[in-house]
Amino acid sequence: MSPLHALFSSAGVAVDITEEQVHAFIGTAGSMPAFVFTLIEAMTDEAVRLGLKRDLAASLVRQTVRGAATLLTESGTHPAVAKNAVSSPGGTTVQGLAALEREGVRAGVAAAMAAAADSSRAMSRG
């Protein structure tokens, strides 16, 4: 491992990418924290609208997101497999997932990532 790679690894995860992957990387990892923060904010706001106090809502959402990410990271489980494992037929989670699909959350996330990558491409052209 090079000294530079070791330095960046100490602050998180360091990956090697090609020059062609730079814009995809920016749309994925570079801009993703803001996208995740937006989702966390939306979930927290909705929890408050549903009746939870804001501090409890914020804590529950943050811990749930952290737990889900930790589970995927530590287990290596594919997100679809994990999602299906916590979804009972006809249950509340399945109804919520259907609403997410109807509202276009998947398309919205894809559009946000593509917009960030496109913007990165445009900025690199000057």
Side-chain angles (χ1 to χ4, degrees), residues 26-119:
I26 288 170
T28 303
S31 298
M32 190 67 66
F35 305 156
V36 173
F37 297 153
T38 299
L39 293 171
I40 290 170
E41 177 187 33
M43 291 186 283
T44 301
D45 288 348
E46 184 59 15
V48 171
R49 191 190 73 75
L50 290 171
L52 295 179
K53 291 189 182 279
R54 184 160 296 277
D55 60 340
L56 176 59
S59 178
L60 290 172
V61 170
R62 283 192 306 261
Q63 290 302 315
T64 301
V65 169
R66 180 182 188 184
T70 299
L71 181 135
L72 292 178
T73 301
E74 291 179 358
S75 71
T77 302
H78 189 281
V81 172
K83 176 186 71 177
N84 291 339
V86 298
S87 302
S88 303
T92 58
T93 303
V94 170
Q95 297 305 316
L97 291 169
L100 283 173
E101 292 297 336
R102 277 193 309 276
E103 296 300 322
V105 169
R106 188 179 303 261
V109 168
M113 292 172 69
D118 291 347
S119 180

Side-chain angles (χ1 to χ4, degrees), residues 120-126:
S120 173
R121 250 183 234 96
M123 288 191 293
S124 71
R125 287 185 220 126

Side-chain angles (χ1 to χ4, degrees), residues 13-27:
V13 176
V15 296
D16 296 318
I17 59 173
T18 66
E19 189 173 336
E20 293 79 30
Q21 294 174 314
V22 167
H23 306 298
F25 178 87
I26 288 170

